[in-house]
Amino acid sequence: MDHHVPPRARTAVAATFALHGAVAGSFATRIPWIQDHLGVGPGGLGLALLAPAVGSLLAMPTAGRITHRFGGRVVTRWLIALWCAMLAFPALAPGLPALFAVLLLYGAVAGMCDVAMNAQGVVVEQRLGRSIMSGLHGMWSVGGLAGGTAGIVAAHAGVDARLHLAAMAVVLLGVSLAVGPLLLDVRPEAGQSAPAHFVLPARGVLLIGFLGFCGIFGEAASQDWSAVYLDRVTGASPAVAAASYTAFACMMAAGRLCGDVVVRRIGPVAAVRSGGALASLGGVLVVASRTPAPAVTGFMLIGLGISVVIPLVFAAAGNVGRTPSEGVAGAATVSYASGFVAPSLIGWIGDVFTLPFSFGLVTVLMVAVMLGAGTLAPRLGRG
């Protein structure tokens, strides 16, 4: 295999991850505006916010075939451009059915783009011969924080979300069109048959995907419930409750940006095993806490602990799959299914029992990450 990777190709794939994160971060901050604008209650909004997950899960298994047919560069550059453009549309929806339809398409494009850019990242990593996936996911987090910060400023200044999101869409689309042509042109090897239209993951990919499922469960639970947990269980002020999510997200971003150094030094299995141990300790702290400080510390440890799980899951799946895009598509479908069930399951267990009991389940899954880290071993070598 050609080990020469132009520096611009690595920069372009990092920029693509950051753009993907910036779209997600921008949209998330304007959900309250969309809810107020349409006058929908929590139930209606919750239903609409399920649409992106449904769209993603339906579209992801098709990404391998599309990438095989058109090539990695073409598919990644046009999907990221399309997703940047899609940012303008949710705020324009005239009612709940239209919002659901827009978010279904938004999720489908996001999911296929996620698979394509991760497959691109796996190929660049393979050709470089060293770990870069954690840093790429770190760039996603940086993009998400940047998009979210801009959104908070716009919301605070009272800017109409239709104007804000349209302007962001234009800026991000412009950047995506500039970096797209610099991506690596990944083509299938001569004589390689096309994958099926809708690929279900192979057994090896399923096992790797389960590790991702546990990691994303911890991420989705912390993301959606940390502020509520701080408020209801520890009696924290609204500012401290909101800060718990920011602390979690910042630790996750920091962990990913530093993750490649750790992986190169101790290998992926030890990195995920020690990450699982940290996240388990964080879960125990959250469950035991009845005051804000230890609970925030617990969420920070969960963020740091799971930060390298998904990048290494995708890297391993990309190496074990028949092609990188097929392996990533399989692992992503299994892993992201978790984000689909985690927020509502945590809420349901919290209603029937207690929120600390819910986070007991999160802790058990973090222990599963620690114990299951070995599934990454035979496929990923050392760093």
Side-chain angles (χ1 to χ4, degrees):
M1 187 173 274
D2 173 20
H3 281 269
H4 175 66
V5 178
R8 65 184 193 173
R10 187 175 168 186
T11 305
V13 75
T16 303
F17 271 79
L19 283 167
H20 198 286
V23 174
S26 298
F27 170 65
T29 57
R30 301 320 298 261
I31 292 170
W33 185 95
I34 293 170
Q35 182 180 8
D36 291 346
H37 181 66
L38 296 181
V40 295
L45 182 69
L47 186 66
L49 292 178
L50 273 183
V54 174
S56 272
L57 289 176
L58 291 176
M60 273 178 177
T62 68
R65 187 179 178 92
I66 295 166
T67 305
H68 182 278
R69 180 166 178 191
F70 297 106
R73 179 196 288 163
V74 170
V75 171
T76 308
R77 70 184 281 198
W78 292 116
L79 282 173
I80 191 67
L82 183 58
W83 203 47
C84 289
M86 285 289 304
L87 180 58
F89 293 96
L92 301 175
L96 199 56
L99 180 64
F100 189 90
V102 167
L103 291 180
L104 198 67
L105 181 60
Y106 176 88
V109 174
M112 287 195 293
C113 184
D114 201 311
V115 170
M117 72 189 191
N118 273 288
Q120 177 88 197
V122 169
V123 174
V124 172
E125 179 174 274
Q126 285 172 348
R127 295 192 185 180
L128 283 170
R130 66 178 190 274
S131 174
I132 64 161
M133 287 296 282
S134 183
L136 292 179
H137 283 256
M139 289 304 293
W140 191 96
S141 298
V142 168
L145 289 168
T149 303
I152 290 164
V153 170
H156 190 68
V159 178
D160 187 304
R162 289 168 293 196
L163 186 63
H164 161 231
L165 295 182
M168 283 299 287
V170 169
V171 171
L172 297 175
L173 177 60
V175 177
S176 77
L177 293 174
V179 300
L182 307 177
L183 290 163
L184 211 55
D185 194 16
V186 182
R187 297 272 171 187
E189 288 167 24
Q192 192 178 65
S193 59
H197 284 284
F198 195 89
V199 181
L200 289 172
R203 185 172 170 273
V205 174
L206 264 177
L207 288 171
I208 295 168
F210 175 70
L211 211 60
F213 181 96
C214 296
I216 286 187
F217 196 100
E219 184 180 340
S222 302
Q223 208 164 297
D224 289 11
W225 286 97
S226 56
V228 179
Y229 195 97
L230 264 284
D231 171 53
R232 284 199 208 158
V233 179
T234 73
S237 69
V240 171
S244 67
Y245 167 68
T246 309
F248 163 81
C250 286
M251 287 304 277
M252 194 153 187
R256 284 180 169 171
L257 290 170
C258 302
D260 291 320
V261 177
V262 176
V263 175
R264 287 170 203 161
R265 184 153 296 177
I266 65 173
V269 174
V272 169
R273 190 156 283 149
S274 44
L278 271 180
S280 304
L281 177 62
V284 170
L285 255 180
V286 168
V287 171
S289 296
R290 294 298 175 269
T291 53
V296 172
T297 307
F299 282 116
M300 288 169 79
L301 285 174
I302 293 174
L304 184 61
I306 60 180
S307 61
V308 295
V309 176
I310 280 298
L312 292 177
V313 159
F314 284 178
N319 285 319
V320 77
R322 211 171 59 100
T323 63
S325 57
E326 225 174 299
V328 170
T333 305
V334 177
S335 299
Y336 288 141
S338 182
F340 193 48
V341 298
S344 46
L345 187 61
I346 292 290
W348 180 76
I349 295 171
D351 281 345
V352 175
F353 300 102
T354 63
L355 270 180
F357 195 90
S358 297
F359 274 87
L361 171 62
V362 173
T363 308
V364 168
L365 292 178
M366 297 305 97
V367 172
V369 167
M370 182 173 70
L371 298 179
T375 56
L376 303 179
R379 306 162 182 95
L380 206 71
R382 271 182 70 87

